[in-house]
Amino acid sequence: MFHAARLKMTAWYVLIVMILSILFSLGMYVLLRREVERFSQGQRLRITRALQDQGQFMPYTTMQPVRFNFQVVDPVLEEETIERIQFVLIGVNIGILILSSGLCYLLAGSTLAPIQEMVEEQRRFISDASHEFKTPLTSMRTTLEVELRNNKLNLVEAKQLMQDNLQEVVELQTLNEALLKLDAYQKHKNGRHFELVKLDAAAKAAIKKITPLAKQKKITIQAQFVPATVMGNLAQLTELSVILLDNAVKYSPEHSSITVATTEQRHHAQLQIIDNGVGIPTAQLPHIFDRFYRVDASRTKNQVSGYGLGLAVARQIAELHDGKLSVKSEVGRGTTFTLSLGKREG
Ligand code: ADP
């Protein structure tokens, strides 16, 4: 599809270039032809005058101007010059046609490249998302069909079945919300409305939200805040902090501690979330921000719920703020996520 579009686009570009080139060449041809004729006439006139002037020293019997019966400019030479101009202009146009075809093909390719990338990205996204929905939906359907045929199903079993299905539905809803968020932040890229916000306020709000979860695992959260003002969206920065803090809790053992710190440097404000959890293998680090990526599918799926979308959303929020979200980790020792944002005085 893209190859055909590229060829079509190249043809249009070349057509436009050739129309301009041919029009320019026609103009040049008319102009040069006139110049050659003007030159011939001028030359003829000058030689005629020169011969007439010489004639003043000759004995004339009449005052009539002298007529010459020979051509002072060779018409064959004139015709040859015009033909040569035609030849050069045709050659130039053929050259432009060949050169512009190559250049336009490259140009069309680079124009279409981002669109092609976007379409492929969307295709991947749809396929990944459908895959994530498919597995729980299929399992729910199978269970429901089997149990509906089961005549011995009693009320307690039916309630348990409904409970299990409800859990699946809640998880699917979470997945759906994460997908909608990804889409929304993608759209926000072109129309963001930012104001001066305190990064530490976003981190505080996140801690408040995650504390009940941390308490369940007896994890302590230590806050080390230096007031830092950035240009951004408080709700989005809070959401990013919640995602990082939620992960820190999810992937940390019981009774461990997590540090949330905001710092201010000359041109940057930073938010750091440091845990002493399971850590991430170095080889996996480049992929953890990809959609639907989980370091260890069995570990995340069976012990910790998640679809591998949290960090993708977090990265999008960081990008929306022209910031950088980076990670450092050591297996068995812990992980540090750092968000760096351009600082604004508030
Ligand atoms: P999930 O919903 O699976 O947690 P995320 O996108 O939030 O998805 O994270 C992607 C993967 O990165 C997770 O599956 C997990 O393996 C790894 N990860 C993220 N944060 C941490 C952390 N603080 N410690 C260890 N592993 C982490």
Side-chain angles (χ1 to χ4, degrees):
M1 180 185 119
F2 274 97
H3 189 64
R6 186 177 184 178
L7 288 179
K8 209 168 166 184
M9 208 167 190
T10 307
W12 276 106
Y13 283 163
V14 172
L15 186 72
I16 293 167
V17 170
M18 287 321 293
I19 286 174
L20 290 176
S21 170
I22 288 169
L23 283 178
F24 180 75
S25 303
L26 283 176
M28 282 297 281
Y29 176 70
V30 172
L31 201 82
L32 289 174
R33 199 191 165 114
R34 265 197 216 141
E35 274 308 299
V36 170
E37 281 166 8
R38 202 180 65 84
F39 170 80
S40 307
Q41 270 173 7
Q43 184 81 333
R44 204 173 286 132
L45 211 70
R46 277 188 186 192
I47 293 174
T48 309
R49 277 204 193 124
L51 287 171
Q52 275 179 342
D53 286 349
Q54 280 175 16
Q56 282 178 2
F57 302 102
M58 291 177 192
Y60 278 121
T61 48
T62 116
M63 289 303 284
Q64 291 295 313
V66 181
R67 289 192 177 275
F68 301 96
N69 291 329
F70 60 92
Q71 295 286 347
V72 287
V73 176
D74 187 352
V76 178
L77 194 68
E78 196 178 316
E79 204 52 47
E80 256 179 34
T81 310
I82 288 170
E83 268 174 22
R84 202 170 162 71
I85 289 171
Q86 280 175 356
F87 181 72
V88 169
L89 285 176
I90 289 170
V92 165
N93 273 284
I94 291 172
I96 288 178
L97 178 68
I98 294 167
L99 199 73
S100 66
S101 300
L103 286 178
C104 290
Y105 186 72
L106 288 178
L107 188 70
S110 69
T111 311
L112 288 174
I115 303 170
Q116 184 173 8
E117 211 172 281
M118 210 174 74
V119 170
E120 270 161 21
E121 174 75 11
Q122 268 177 353
R123 244 184 241 156
R124 252 198 319 270
F125 181 70
I126 291 168
S127 134
D128 288 347
S130 350
H131 184 75
E132 290 297 327
F133 276 109
K134 199 179 148 201
T135 319
L137 283 176
T138 314
S139 106
M140 261 164 73
R141 186 181 165 171
T142 318
T143 325
L144 285 172
E145 280 172 352
V146 169
E147 293 304 336
L148 274 176
R149 280 198 296 268
N150 178 7
N151 296 329
K152 292 177 191 150
L153 187 75
N154 62 34
L155 191 63
V156 178
E157 286 167 341
K159 275 198 171 179
Q160 183 57 47
L161 179 70
M162 285 195 317
Q163 186 68 41
D164 293 346
N165 279 344
L166 185 66
Q167 184 59 34
E168 293 274 20
V169 170
V170 169
E171 278 182 18
L172 283 176
Q173 239 174 353
T174 315
L175 170 63
N176 186 38
E177 274 163 25
L179 287 174
L180 286 174
K181 263 179 208 156
L182 271 177
D183 183 48
Y185 291 137
Q186 194 76 34
K187 282 183 199 146
H188 278 174
K189 264 186 186 162
N190 303 322
R192 52 189 184 179
H193 301 291
F194 286 171
E195 53 190 357
L196 288 175
V197 291
K198 292 192 185 308
L199 195 55
D200 44 301
K204 261 181 214 156
I207 292 179
K208 205 173 158 196
K209 216 166 173 183
I210 296 297
T211 297
L213 213 72
K215 272 190 180 157
Q216 282 177 16
K217 288 180 84 174
K218 298 172 187 70
I219 291 173
T220 47
I221 301 177
Q222 292 173 354
Q224 296 175 359
F225 292 150
V226 171
T229 310
V230 293
M231 203 65 182
N233 179 303
L234 185 64
Q236 289 173 10
L237 290 174
T238 305
E239 187 174 354
L240 183 151
S241 312
V242 167
I243 291 169
L244 298 182
L245 201 51
D246 181 43
N247 276 347
V249 172
K250 279 198 301 190
Y251 301 105
S252 286
E254 290 195 349
H255 300 285
S256 60
S257 83
I258 295 168
T259 306
V260 182
T262 56
T263 49
E264 219 184 19
Q265 283 153 21
R266 207 157 167 226
H267 299 293
H268 284 90
Q270 278 193 339
L271 165 76
Q272 280 196 314
I273 295 187
I274 308 154
D275 68 50
N276 302 298
V278 291
I280 305 164
T282 315
Q284 319 261 16
L285 282 176
H287 308 290
I288 57 166
F289 296 101
D290 294 348
R291 276 185 321 227
F292 300 110
Y293 191 86
R294 274 167 246 138
V295 170
D296 180 345
S298 63
R299 176 183 73 163
T300 23
K301 200 75 187 173
N302 297 337
Q303 297 182 10
V304 187
S305 68
Y307 286 97
L309 286 174
L311 288 180
V313 173
R315 186 180 59 178
Q316 260 191 1
I317 295 175
E319 280 174 5
L320 208 61
H321 285 75
D322 297 324
K324 198 172 159 247
L325 184 58
S326 55
V327 59
K328 273 191 186 146
S329 188
E330 211 179 311
V331 175
R333 294 206 129 210
T335 306
T336 301
F337 279 94
T338 307
L339 170 74
S340 299
L341 296 175
K343 189 168 73 77
R344 301 276 145 64
E345 298 302 331

